[in-house]
Amino acid sequence: QVHLVESGGGLVQPGESLTLSCVASTTIFPIYPMGWYRQAPGKQRELVATATTSVTKYADAVQGRFTIRRDYRNNTVYLEMNNLKPEDTAVYYCNVRSRIDWWGQGTQVTVSS
């Protein structure tokens, strides 16, 4: 059983920055991807960024603006989001992909002027 707790969401203006955090309740093997997905109203959940020790993936829409950082010792993953845009508005979910997918409860990010 893996329990994921996210924090750091909120309301920001376009162009501002925000950092999300996710802590796992147990050890996550480094080979298992750990990262972030998001779901906007009326849309499917989509990959934002994931990381292992050898591979980091970003969605095209966030490449160059978002940075994922994984703290393997503390089973934590961060998502630094810069130059936020209104289209980044969504619920952001932490994910661990082992033999099954584990999900956090989600944290709301709203980008609006």
Side-chain angles (χ1 to χ4, degrees):
Q1 188 83 6
V2 177
H3 187 51
L4 303 172
V5 179
E6 302 115 330
S7 61
L11 170 64
V12 297
Q13 295 188 347
E16 293 187 338
S17 299
L18 206 58
T19 298
L20 306 181
S21 302
C22 171
V23 181
S25 60
T26 187
T27 298
I28 306 299
F29 292 121
I31 63 170
Y32 292 151
M34 185 176 185
W36 298 90
Y37 287 70
R38 68 185 181 187
Q39 188 166 17
K43 295 188 177 181
Q44 290 188 332
R45 193 172 296 189
E46 62 179 5
L47 170 75
V48 177
T50 62
T52 67
T53 52
S54 58
V55 178
T56 301
K57 295 182 180 180
Y58 290 97
D60 290 343
V62 306
Q63 184 78 43
R65 298 188 297 121
F66 291 10
T67 302
I68 187 170
R69 180 170 63 87
R70 191 168 164 183
D71 181 345
Y72 293 92
R73 174 176 293 185
N74 294 306
N75 303 299
T76 302
V77 66
Y78 303 92
L79 184 67
E80 181 180 327
M81 304 183 292
N82 296 313
N83 190 22
L84 282 160
K85 303 176 180 181
E87 51 263 42
D88 294 318
T89 295
V91 177
Y92 284 70
Y93 295 93
C94 183
N95 168 265
V96 171
R97 178 157 293 178
S98 57
R99 288 171 293 177
I100 64 173
D101 277 319
W102 300 96
W103 297 96
Q105 80 284 357
T107 185
Q108 177 71 45
V109 173
T110 302
V111 185
S112 175
S113 56

